[in-house]
Coordinates of all heavy atoms in Angstrom, one line a residue:
M1 N 0.8 -1.2 0.0 CA 0.0 0.0 0.0 C 0.8 1.2 0.0 O 1.8 1.4 0.8 CB -0.9 0.0 1.2 CG -1.7 1.2 1.4 SD -2.8 1.2 2.8 CE -4.3 1.7 2.1
V2 N 0.6 2.1 -0.9 CA 1.4 3.3 -1.1 C 0.9 4.4 0.0 O -0.3 4.7 0.0 CB 1.3 3.9 -2.5 CG1 1.9 5.3 -2.6 CG2 2.0 3.0 -3.5
K3 N 1.8 4.9 0.8 CA 1.4 5.9 1.8 C 2.0 7.3 1.5 O 1.6 8.2 2.2 CB 1.9 5.4 3.1 CG 1.2 4.1 3.6 CD 1.8 3.6 4.8 CE 1.0 2.3 5.2 NZ 1.6 1.7 6.4
E4 N 2.9 7.4 0.5 CA 3.5 8.7 0.3 C 4.1 8.7 -1.1 O 4.5 7.7 -1.7 CB 4.6 9.0 1.3 CG 5.7 8.0 1.3 CD 6.7 8.2 2.6 OE1 6.2 8.7 3.6 OE2 7.9 7.8 2.4
I5 N 4.2 9.9 -1.6 CA 4.9 10.2 -2.9 C 5.8 11.4 -2.6 O 5.7 12.1 -1.6 CB 3.9 10.5 -4.1 CG1 3.1 11.8 -3.8 CG2 3.0 9.4 -4.3 CD1 2.4 12.3 -5.0
I6 N 6.8 11.5 -3.5 CA 7.7 12.7 -3.4 C 7.7 13.4 -4.8 O 7.8 12.8 -5.9 CB 9.1 12.2 -3.1 CG1 9.2 11.4 -1.8 CG2 10.1 13.4 -3.1 CD1 10.5 10.7 -1.5
L7 N 7.3 14.7 -4.7 CA 7.3 15.5 -5.9 C 8.5 16.5 -5.8 O 8.6 17.3 -4.9 CB 6.1 16.3 -6.1 CG 4.8 15.5 -6.1 CD1 3.6 16.5 -6.3 CD2 4.8 14.6 -7.3
D8 N 9.5 16.3 -6.7 CA 10.8 16.9 -6.6 C 11.3 16.5 -5.2 O 11.6 15.3 -5.0 CB 10.7 18.4 -6.8 CG 10.4 18.8 -8.3 OD1 10.7 17.9 -9.1 OD2 9.9 19.9 -8.6
N9 N 11.5 17.4 -4.3 CA 12.1 17.0 -3.0 C 11.0 17.1 -1.9 O 11.3 17.2 -0.7 CB 13.2 17.8 -2.6 CG 14.4 17.5 -3.5 OD1 14.7 16.4 -3.8 ND2 15.0 18.6 -4.0
T10 N 9.7 17.2 -2.2 CA 8.7 17.4 -1.2 C 7.9 16.1 -1.0 O 7.3 15.6 -1.9 CB 7.7 18.5 -1.7 OG1 8.4 19.7 -1.9 CG2 6.6 18.7 -0.7
L11 N 7.9 15.6 0.2 CA 7.2 14.4 0.6 C 5.7 14.7 0.9 O 5.4 15.7 1.6 CB 7.8 13.9 1.9 CG 7.1 12.7 2.5 CD1 7.5 11.4 1.6 CD2 7.6 12.4 3.9
I12 N 4.9 14.0 0.3 CA 3.4 14.2 0.5 C 2.8 12.8 0.9 O 2.9 11.8 0.2 CB 2.7 14.6 -0.9 CG1 3.3 16.0 -1.3 CG2 1.2 14.6 -0.7 CD1 2.8 16.4 -2.7
K13 N 2.2 12.9 2.1 CA 1.5 11.6 2.6 C 0.2 11.6 1.9 O -0.6 12.5 1.9 CB 1.3 11.8 4.1 CG 2.7 11.7 4.8 CD 2.6 11.4 6.3 CE 3.9 11.4 6.9 NZ 4.7 10.3 6.5
V14 N -0.2 10.4 1.3 CA -1.4 10.2 0.5 C -2.4 9.4 1.3 O -2.1 8.5 2.0 CB -1.1 9.6 -0.8 CG1 -0.2 10.6 -1.6 CG2 -0.6 8.3 -0.8
N15 N -3.7 9.7 1.1 CA -4.8 8.9 1.6 C -5.3 7.8 0.6 O -5.9 6.9 1.0 CB -5.9 9.8 1.9 CG -5.6 10.9 2.9 OD1 -4.8 10.7 3.8 ND2 -6.2 12.1 2.8
H16 N -5.0 8.1 -0.6 CA -5.5 7.2 -1.7 C -4.5 7.3 -2.8 O -4.0 8.3 -3.2 CB -6.9 7.6 -2.2 CG -7.4 6.7 -3.2 ND1 -8.0 5.4 -3.0 CD2 -7.5 6.8 -4.6 CE1 -8.3 4.9 -4.1 NE2 -8.1 5.7 -5.1
Y17 N -4.2 6.1 -3.5 CA -3.3 6.0 -4.6 C -3.8 5.0 -5.6 O -4.2 4.0 -5.3 CB -1.9 5.5 -4.0 CG -0.8 5.3 -5.1 CD1 0.0 6.3 -5.5 CD2 -0.7 4.0 -5.6 CE1 0.9 6.1 -6.5 CE2 0.3 3.7 -6.5 CZ 1.1 4.8 -7.0 OH 2.1 4.5 -7.9
E18 N -3.6 5.4 -6.9 CA -4.0 4.5 -8.0 C -2.9 4.7 -9.0 O -2.3 5.8 -9.2 CB -5.3 4.9 -8.7 CG -6.5 4.6 -7.8 CD -7.8 5.0 -8.5 OE1 -7.8 5.2 -9.8 OE2 -8.8 5.1 -7.8
E19 N -2.5 3.6 -9.6 CA -1.5 3.6 -10.7 C -1.9 2.8 -11.9 O -2.6 1.8 -11.7 CB -0.2 2.9 -10.1 CG 0.9 2.8 -11.0 CD 2.1 2.1 -10.3 OE1 2.3 2.3 -9.1 OE2 2.8 1.3 -11.0
E20 N -1.6 3.3 -13.0 CA -2.0 2.6 -14.3 C -1.0 3.0 -15.4 O -0.2 4.0 -15.2 CB -3.4 2.9 -14.7 CG -3.7 4.3 -15.1 CD -5.2 4.6 -15.4 OE1 -5.6 3.9 -16.4 OE2 -5.8 5.4 -14.7
K21 N -1.0 2.3 -16.4 CA -0.3 2.6 -17.7 C -1.2 3.1 -18.7 O -2.3 2.6 -18.9 CB 0.4 1.4 -18.2 CG 1.6 0.9 -17.3 CD 2.9 1.6 -17.8 CE 4.0 0.7 -17.2 NZ 5.2 1.0 -18.0
V22 N -0.8 4.2 -19.3 CA -1.6 4.9 -20.4 C -0.7 5.0 -21.6 O 0.3 5.7 -21.6 CB -2.2 6.2 -20.0 CG1 -2.8 6.9 -21.1 CG2 -3.0 6.1 -18.7
N23 N -0.9 4.3 -22.6 CA -0.1 4.3 -23.9 C 1.3 4.0 -23.5 O 2.3 4.6 -24.0 CB -0.2 5.6 -24.6 CG -1.6 5.8 -25.2 OD1 -2.3 4.9 -25.6 ND2 -2.1 7.1 -25.1
G24 N 1.6 3.1 -22.5 CA 2.9 2.7 -22.1 C 3.6 3.6 -21.1 O 4.7 3.4 -20.8
L25 N 2.9 4.7 -20.7 CA 3.4 5.7 -19.8 C 2.8 5.4 -18.4 O 1.6 5.1 -18.3 CB 3.2 7.1 -20.2 CG 3.8 7.4 -21.6 CD1 3.4 8.8 -22.0 CD2 5.4 7.3 -21.6
H26 N 3.5 5.7 -17.3 CA 3.0 5.7 -16.0 C 2.0 6.9 -15.7 O 2.3 8.0 -16.1 CB 4.1 5.7 -14.9 CG 5.0 4.6 -15.0 ND1 4.6 3.4 -14.5 CD2 6.3 4.4 -15.4 CE1 5.7 2.5 -14.6 NE2 6.7 3.1 -15.2
Q27 N 1.0 6.5 -15.1 CA 0.0 7.6 -14.6 C -0.3 7.2 -13.2 O -0.7 6.1 -12.8 CB -1.2 7.6 -15.4 CG -2.2 8.7 -15.0 CD -3.5 8.8 -15.8 OE1 -3.4 8.9 -17.0 NE2 -4.6 8.8 -15.2
I28 N -0.3 8.2 -12.3 CA -0.7 8.0 -10.9 C -1.8 9.0 -10.6 O -1.7 10.1 -11.0 CB 0.4 8.0 -9.9 CG1 1.1 9.4 -9.8 CG2 1.5 6.9 -10.2 CD1 2.1 9.5 -8.6
S29 N -2.7 8.6 -9.7 CA -3.7 9.5 -9.1 C -3.6 9.4 -7.6 O -3.6 8.3 -7.1 CB -5.0 9.2 -9.6 OG -5.1 9.4 -11.1
V30 N -3.6 10.5 -6.9 CA -3.5 10.5 -5.5 C -4.5 11.5 -4.9 O -5.0 12.4 -5.5 CB -2.1 10.9 -5.0 CG1 -1.1 9.8 -5.4 CG2 -1.6 12.2 -5.4
V31 N -4.9 11.2 -3.6 CA -5.7 12.0 -2.8 C -5.0 12.3 -1.6 O -4.4 11.4 -1.0 CB -7.1 11.4 -2.5 CG1 -7.9 12.3 -1.6 CG2 -7.8 11.1 -3.8
F32 N -4.8 13.6 -1.1 CA -4.1 13.9 0.0 C -4.6 15.2 0.7 O -5.3 16.0 0.0 CB -2.6 14.1 -0.2 CG -2.2 15.2 -1.2 CD1 -1.9 16.4 -0.8 CD2 -2.3 14.9 -2.6 CE1 -1.5 17.4 -1.8 CE2 -1.9 15.9 -3.5 CZ -1.6 17.1 -3.1
D33 N -4.4 15.3 2.0 CA -4.9 16.5 2.7 C -3.8 17.5 2.8 O -2.6 17.3 2.9 CB -5.2 16.0 4.2 CG -6.4 15.1 4.3 OD1 -7.3 15.2 3.4 OD2 -6.5 14.3 5.2
V34 N -4.3 18.8 2.7 CA -3.4 19.9 2.8 C -4.0 20.9 3.9 O -5.2 21.2 3.9 CB -3.3 20.7 1.5 CG1 -2.5 22.0 1.7 CG2 -2.7 19.9 0.5
T35 N -3.2 21.1 4.9 CA -3.6 22.0 6.0 C -3.3 23.5 5.6 O -2.6 23.8 4.7 CB -2.9 21.7 7.3 OG1 -1.4 22.0 7.1 CG2 -3.1 20.3 7.7
S36 N -4.0 24.4 6.3 CA -3.8 25.8 6.1 C -2.4 26.1 6.3 O -1.8 27.0 5.6 CB -4.7 26.7 6.9 OG -4.6 26.3 8.3
E37 N -1.7 25.5 7.2 CA -0.2 25.7 7.5 C 0.6 25.3 6.2 O 1.7 26.0 6.0 CB 0.2 25.0 8.7 CG -0.4 25.5 10.0 CD -1.8 25.0 10.3 OE1 -2.3 24.0 9.7 OE2 -2.6 25.8 11.0
D38 N 0.3 24.3 5.5 CA 1.1 23.8 4.4 C 0.6 24.3 3.1 O 1.2 24.1 2.0 CB 1.0 22.3 4.4 CG 1.7 21.6 5.6 OD1 2.7 22.2 6.1 OD2 1.3 20.5 6.0
Y39 N -0.5 25.0 3.0 CA -1.2 25.5 1.8 C -0.2 26.2 0.8 O -0.1 25.9 -0.3 CB -2.4 26.3 2.1 CG -3.0 27.0 0.9 CD1 -3.6 26.2 -0.1 CD2 -2.9 28.3 0.7 CE1 -4.1 26.8 -1.3 CE2 -3.4 28.9 -0.4 CZ -4.1 28.2 -1.4 OH -4.6 28.7 -2.5
H40 N 0.5 27.2 1.4 CA 1.3 28.0 0.5 C 2.4 27.2 -0.2 O 2.7 27.3 -1.4 CB 1.9 29.2 1.3 CG 2.9 30.0 0.4 ND1 2.5 30.9 -0.5 CD2 4.2 30.1 0.4 CE1 3.5 31.5 -1.1 NE2 4.6 31.0 -0.6
D41 N 3.1 26.3 0.6 CA 4.2 25.5 0.1 C 3.6 24.6 -1.0 O 4.3 24.4 -2.0 CB 4.9 24.8 1.1 CG 5.7 25.7 2.1 OD1 6.0 26.8 1.7 OD2 5.9 25.3 3.3
I42 N 2.5 23.9 -0.7 CA 2.0 23.0 -1.7 C 1.5 23.7 -2.9 O 1.7 23.2 -4.0 CB 0.8 22.1 -1.0 CG1 1.4 21.2 0.1 CG2 0.0 21.4 -2.1 CD1 2.3 20.2 -0.4
A43 N 0.8 24.8 -2.8 CA 0.3 25.6 -3.9 C 1.5 26.0 -4.8 O 1.5 25.9 -6.0 CB -0.5 26.8 -3.5
T44 N 2.6 26.5 -4.2 CA 3.8 26.9 -4.9 C 4.3 25.7 -5.6 O 4.8 25.8 -6.9 CB 4.8 27.6 -4.0 OG1 4.1 28.7 -3.3 CG2 6.0 28.0 -4.7
L45 N 4.4 24.6 -5.0 CA 5.0 23.4 -5.6 C 4.1 23.0 -6.9 O 4.7 22.8 -7.9 CB 5.0 22.2 -4.6 CG 5.4 20.8 -5.2 CD1 6.8 20.8 -5.5 CD2 5.0 19.8 -4.1
L46 N 2.8 22.9 -6.7 CA 2.0 22.4 -7.8 C 2.0 23.4 -9.0 O 1.7 22.9 -10.1 CB 0.5 22.2 -7.3 CG 0.4 21.0 -6.3 CD1 -1.0 20.9 -5.8 CD2 1.0 19.8 -6.8
Y47 N 2.2 24.7 -8.7 CA 2.3 25.6 -9.9 C 3.4 25.3 -10.9 O 3.3 25.6 -12.0 CB 2.5 27.1 -9.4 CG 1.2 27.7 -8.9 CD1 1.2 28.4 -7.7 CD2 0.0 27.7 -9.6 CE1 0.1 28.9 -7.2 CE2 -1.1 28.2 -9.1 CZ -1.1 28.9 -7.9 OH -2.2 29.5 -7.4
R48 N 4.4 24.5 -10.4 CA 5.5 24.1 -11.3 C 4.9 23.2 -12.4 O 5.4 23.3 -13.6 CB 6.5 23.3 -10.6 CG 7.3 24.1 -9.6 CD 8.3 23.3 -8.9 NE 8.8 23.9 -7.7 CZ 9.4 23.3 -6.7 NH1 9.8 22.0 -6.9 NH2 9.8 24.0 -5.7
G49 N 3.9 22.4 -12.1 CA 3.3 21.6 -13.2 C 3.9 20.3 -13.5 O 3.3 19.3 -13.9
T50 N 5.3 20.3 -13.5 CA 6.1 19.0 -13.9 C 7.1 18.8 -12.8 O 7.7 19.7 -12.3 CB 6.8 19.2 -15.3 OG1 5.7 19.5 -16.3 CG2 7.6 18.0 -15.7
F51 N 7.2 17.4 -12.5 CA 8.0 17.1 -11.4 C 8.8 15.8 -11.6 O 8.4 15.0 -12.4 CB 7.1 16.8 -10.1 CG 6.0 17.8 -10.0 CD1 4.8 17.6 -10.5 CD2 6.2 18.9 -9.2 CE1 3.8 18.6 -10.4 CE2 5.3 19.9 -9.1 CZ 4.0 19.7 -9.6
E52 N 9.8 15.6 -10.8 CA 10.4 14.3 -10.7 C 9.6 13.6 -9.6 O 9.4 14.1 -8.5 CB 11.9 14.4 -10.1 CG 12.8 15.1 -11.1 CD 13.0 14.4 -12.4 OE1 12.9 13.2 -12.5 OE2 13.1 15.2 -13.4
V53 N 8.9 12.6 -10.0 CA 7.9 11.8 -9.2 C 8.6 10.5 -8.7 O 9.1 9.7 -9.5 CB 6.7 11.5 -10.0 CG1 5.7 10.7 -9.1 CG2 6.0 12.7 -10.6
T54 N 8.5 10.4 -7.4 CA 9.0 9.2 -6.7 C 7.9 8.6 -5.9 O 7.3 9.3 -5.1 CB 10.3 9.4 -5.9 OG1 11.3 10.1 -6.6 CG2 10.8 8.2 -5.3
V55 N 7.7 7.3 -6.1 CA 6.7 6.5 -5.3 C 7.6 5.4 -4.6 O 7.7 4.3 -5.2 CB 5.6 5.9 -6.1 CG1 4.6 5.3 -5.2 CG2 5.0 7.0 -7.0
P56 N 8.1 5.7 -3.4 CA 9.0 4.8 -2.7 C 8.4 3.3 -2.5 O 9.0 2.4 -2.8 CB 9.3 5.4 -1.4 CG 9.1 6.9 -1.6 CD 7.9 6.9 -2.6
D57 N 7.1 3.3 -2.1 CA 6.5 2.0 -1.8 C 6.3 1.1 -3.1 O 6.1 -0.1 -3.0 CB 5.1 2.2 -1.1 CG 5.3 2.8 0.3 OD1 6.4 2.5 0.9 OD2 4.4 3.6 0.7
A58 N 6.2 1.8 -4.2 CA 6.0 1.1 -5.5 C 7.3 0.9 -6.3 O 7.3 0.5 -7.4 CB 4.9 1.8 -6.3
V59 N 8.4 1.5 -5.7 CA 9.7 1.5 -6.4 C 9.5 2.0 -7.8 O 9.8 1.4 -8.8 CB 10.4 0.1 -6.4 CG1 11.8 0.3 -6.9 CG2 10.3 -0.6 -5.1
L60 N 9.0 3.2 -7.9 CA 8.6 3.9 -9.1 C 9.2 5.3 -9.1 O 9.1 6.1 -8.1 CB 7.1 4.0 -9.2 CG 6.5 4.6 -10.5 CD1 6.9 3.9 -11.8 CD2 4.9 4.7 -10.4
F61 N 9.8 5.6 -10.3 CA 10.4 7.0 -10.5 C 10.2 7.4 -11.9 O 10.5 6.6 -12.8 CB 11.9 6.9 -10.1 CG 12.6 8.3 -10.4 CD1 12.5 9.3 -9.4 CD2 13.3 8.5 -11.5 CE1 13.2 10.5 -9.7 CE2 13.9 9.6 -11.8 CZ 13.9 10.6 -10.8
F62 N 9.6 8.6 -12.2 CA 9.5 9.1 -13.5 C 9.3 10.6 -13.4 O 9.1 11.2 -12.4 CB 8.3 8.5 -14.2 CG 6.9 8.8 -13.5 CD1 6.1 9.8 -13.9 CD2 6.5 7.9 -12.5 CE1 4.9 10.0 -13.4 CE2 5.2 8.1 -12.0 CZ 4.4 9.2 -12.4
R63 N 9.5 11.3 -14.6 CA 9.2 12.7 -14.7 C 7.7 12.8 -15.1 O 7.3 12.1 -16.1 CB 10.1 13.3 -15.7 CG 9.9 14.9 -15.8 CD 11.2 15.5 -16.4 NE 11.1 16.9 -16.3 CZ 11.3 17.7 -15.3 NH1 11.5 17.2 -14.1 NH2 11.1 19.0 -15.3
G64 N 6.9 13.5 -14.4 CA 5.5 13.6 -14.6 C 4.9 15.0 -14.6 O 5.5 15.9 -14.0
T65 N 3.8 15.1 -15.3 CA 3.1 16.4 -15.5 C 1.7 16.3 -15.0 O 1.1 15.3 -15.2 CB 3.1 16.9 -17.0 OG1 4.5 17.0 -17.4 CG2 2.4 18.2 -17.2
I66 N 1.2 17.3 -14.4 CA -0.2 17.3 -13.9 C -1.1 17.2 -15.1 O -1.1 18.1 -16.0 CB -0.5 18.6 -13.1 CG1 0.3 18.6 -11.8 CG2 -2.0 18.6 -12.7 CD1 0.2 19.9 -11.0
I67 N -2.0 16.3 -15.0 CA -3.1 16.2 -16.1 C -4.5 16.4 -15.5 O -5.4 16.7 -16.2 CB -3.1 14.8 -16.8 CG1 -3.3 13.7 -15.9 CG2 -1.8 14.7 -17.6 CD1 -3.5 12.3 -16.5
N68 N -4.6 16.4 -14.1 CA -5.8 16.6 -13.4 C -5.6 17.1 -12.1 O -4.7 16.5 -11.4 CB -6.7 15.4 -13.4 CG -8.2 15.7 -13.1 OD1 -8.6 16.9 -13.0 ND2 -9.0 14.8 -13.0
Y69 N -6.3 18.1 -11.6 CA -6.0 18.6 -10.2 C -7.3 19.2 -9.7 O -8.0 20.0 -10.4 CB -4.9 19.6 -10.3 CG -4.8 20.6 -9.1 CD1 -4.3 20.2 -7.9 CD2 -5.2 21.9 -9.3 CE1 -4.2 21.1 -6.9 CE2 -5.1 22.8 -8.3 CZ -4.6 22.4 -7.1 OH -4.5 23.3 -6.0
S70 N -7.6 18.9 -8.5 CA -8.8 19.7 -7.9 C -8.6 19.7 -6.4 O -7.8 18.9 -5.8 CB -10.1 18.9 -8.3 OG -10.2 17.7 -7.7
T71 N -9.4 20.5 -5.7 CA -9.3 20.7 -4.3 C -10.7 20.9 -3.7 O -11.6 21.5 -4.4 CB -8.4 21.8 -3.9 OG1 -8.4 21.9 -2.4 CG2 -8.8 23.1 -4.4
S72 N -11.0 20.4 -2.6 CA -12.3 20.5 -2.0 C -12.6 21.9 -1.4 O -13.7 22.2 -1.0 CB -12.5 19.5 -0.8 OG -11.6 19.8 0.2
I73 N -11.5 22.7 -1.2 CA -11.6 24.1 -0.6 C -10.7 25.0 -1.3 O -9.5 24.6 -1.6 CB -11.3 24.0 0.9 CG1 -11.7 25.3 1.6 CG2 -10.0 23.5 1.2 CD1 -11.6 25.2 3.1
T74 N -11.1 26.2 -1.6 CA -10.3 27.1 -2.3 C -9.5 28.1 -1.5 O -8.5 28.7 -1.9 CB -11.1 27.8 -3.4 OG1 -12.1 28.5 -2.7 CG2 -11.6 26.9 -4.4
N75 N -9.9 28.3 -0.2 CA -9.3 29.3 0.6 C -8.8 28.6 1.9 O -9.5 28.5 2.8 CB -10.3 30.4 1.0 CG -9.5 31.4 1.8 OD1 -8.4 31.4 2.0 ND2 -10.3 32.5 2.2
L76 N -7.5 28.2 1.8 CA -6.9 27.6 3.0 C -6.1 28.6 3.8 O -5.3 28.2 4.6 CB -6.0 26.4 2.6 CG -6.7 25.2 2.2 CD1 -5.8 24.1 1.6 CD2 -7.4 24.5 3.4
Y77 N -6.3 29.9 3.5 CA -5.6 30.9 4.3 C -6.2 31.1 5.7 O -5.5 31.6 6.6 CB -5.6 32.3 3.6 CG -4.7 32.3 2.4 CD1 -5.1 32.3 1.1 CD2 -3.3 32.3 2.6 CE1 -4.3 32.4 0.1 CE2 -2.4 32.3 1.6 CZ -2.9 32.3 0.2 OH -2.1 32.4 -0.7
E78 N -7.4 30.6 6.0 CA -7.9 30.6 7.3 C -7.3 29.5 8.1 O -7.3 28.4 7.8 CB -9.5 30.4 7.2 CG -10.2 31.6 6.5 CD -11.7 31.3 6.4 OE1 -12.2 30.6 7.4 OE2 -12.3 31.8 5.5
E79 N -6.8 29.9 9.3 CA -6.2 28.9 10.2 C -7.1 27.8 10.6 O -8.3 27.9 10.8 CB -5.7 29.7 11.5 CG -4.9 28.9 12.4 CD -4.4 29.7 13.6 OE1 -4.2 30.9 13.4 OE2 -4.1 29.0 14.6
G80 N -6.5 26.6 10.7 CA -7.2 25.4 11.1 C -8.0 24.7 10.0 O -8.6 23.7 10.3
Q81 N -7.9 25.2 8.8 CA -8.7 24.5 7.7 C -7.9 23.3 7.1 O -6.6 23.3 7.1 CB -8.9 25.5 6.5 CG -9.8 26.7 6.9 CD -11.2 26.2 7.2 OE1 -11.8 25.5 6.5 NE2 -11.7 26.7 8.4
V82 N -8.5 22.4 6.5 CA -7.9 21.2 5.9 C -8.7 21.0 4.6 O -9.9 20.9 4.6 CB -7.9 19.9 6.7 CG1 -7.3 18.7 5.9 CG2 -7.2 20.1 8.0
G83 N -7.9 20.9 3.4 CA -8.5 20.7 2.2 C -8.1 19.4 1.6 O -7.0 18.9 1.9
E84 N -9.0 18.7 0.8 CA -8.6 17.4 0.2 C -8.2 17.7 -1.2 O -9.0 18.3 -2.0 CB -9.8 16.5 0.3 CG -9.4 15.1 -0.4 CD -10.6 14.2 -0.4 OE1 -11.6 14.4 -1.2 OE2 -10.6 13.3 0.5
Y85 N -7.0 17.4 -1.6 CA -6.5 17.6 -3.0 C -6.6 16.3 -3.7 O -6.2 15.2 -3.2 CB -5.1 18.1 -2.9 CG -5.0 19.6 -2.7 CD1 -5.6 20.1 -1.6 CD2 -4.2 20.3 -3.5 CE1 -5.4 21.5 -1.4 CE2 -4.0 21.7 -3.3 CZ -4.7 22.3 -2.2 OH -4.5 23.6 -2.0
K86 N -6.9 16.3 -5.0 CA -6.9 15.2 -5.9 C -5.9 15.6 -7.0 O -6.0 16.7 -7.6 CB -8.2 14.9 -6.4 CG -9.2 14.4 -5.3 CD -10.6 14.1 -5.9 CE -11.5 13.7 -4.7 NZ -12.9 13.4 -5.2
L87 N -5.0 14.7 -7.4 CA -4.0 15.1 -8.3 C -3.6 13.8 -9.2 O -3.4 12.7 -8.6 CB -2.7 15.5 -7.5 CG -1.4 15.8 -8.3 CD1 -1.7 17.1 -9.1 CD2 -0.2 16.0 -7.3
S88 N -3.6 14.1 -10.5 CA -3.2 13.0 -11.4 C -2.0 13.5 -12.1 O -2.0 14.6 -12.7 CB -4.3 12.6 -12.4 OG -5.4 12.1 -11.7
L89 N -1.0 12.6 -12.2 CA 0.2 12.9 -13.0 C 0.5 11.8 -14.0 O 0.3 10.6 -13.8 CB 1.4 12.9 -12.0 CG 1.3 13.9 -10.8 CD1 2.2 13.4 -9.7 CD2 1.7 15.2 -11.3
L90 N 0.9 12.3 -15.2 CA 1.3 11.4 -16.3 C 2.7 11.6 -16.6 O 3.2 12.7 -16.8 CB 0.4 11.7 -17.5 CG 0.6 10.8 -18.7 CD1 0.3 9.4 -18.5 CD2 -0.2 11.4 -19.9
E91 N 3.4 10.4 -16.8 CA 4.8 10.4 -17.2 C 5.0 11.2 -18.5 O 4.1 11.0 -19.4 CB 5.3 9.0 -17.4 CG 6.7 8.9 -17.7 CD 7.1 7.4 -17.8 OE1 6.3 6.5 -17.9 OE2 8.3 7.1 -17.9
T92 N 6.0 12.0 -18.6 CA 6.2 12.8 -19.8 C 7.1 11.9 -20.7 O 8.0 11.2 -20.2 CB 7.0 14.1 -19.5 OG1 8.2 13.9 -18.8 CG2 6.0 15.0 -18.7
E93 N 6.9 12.0 -22.0 CA 7.7 11.2 -23.0 C 9.0 11.9 -23.1 O 9.1 13.2 -23.1 CB 6.9 11.1 -24.3 CG 5.7 10.3 -24.2 CD 5.1 10.1 -25.5 OE1 5.7 9.3 -26.3 OE2 4.0 10.6 -25.8
I94 N 10.1 11.1 -23.2 CA 11.4 11.7 -23.3 C 11.7 12.0 -24.8 O 11.4 11.3 -25.7 CB 12.4 10.8 -22.7 CG1 12.2 10.6 -21.3 CG2 13.8 11.2 -23.0 CD1 13.1 9.5 -20.6

């Protein structure tokens, strides 16, 4: 069971993980919580769009780009809030 992924050098603990191959490329979809305290760092990270993706529990490493992204809450600037993020990444072709 996958419990975390790493995007570039940022560790993200995940609540849900799915992995599949699309046209021979790796695609992962994750669900994870973001607190108001972590919101700025995660938002800044996700704006990059493309990452070195590491899934330690699956022994998986690839360069991936966001193909789908959503959040349950749009304003995490209020203290004590937690939002659920859904993120799908597809391996980029070299």
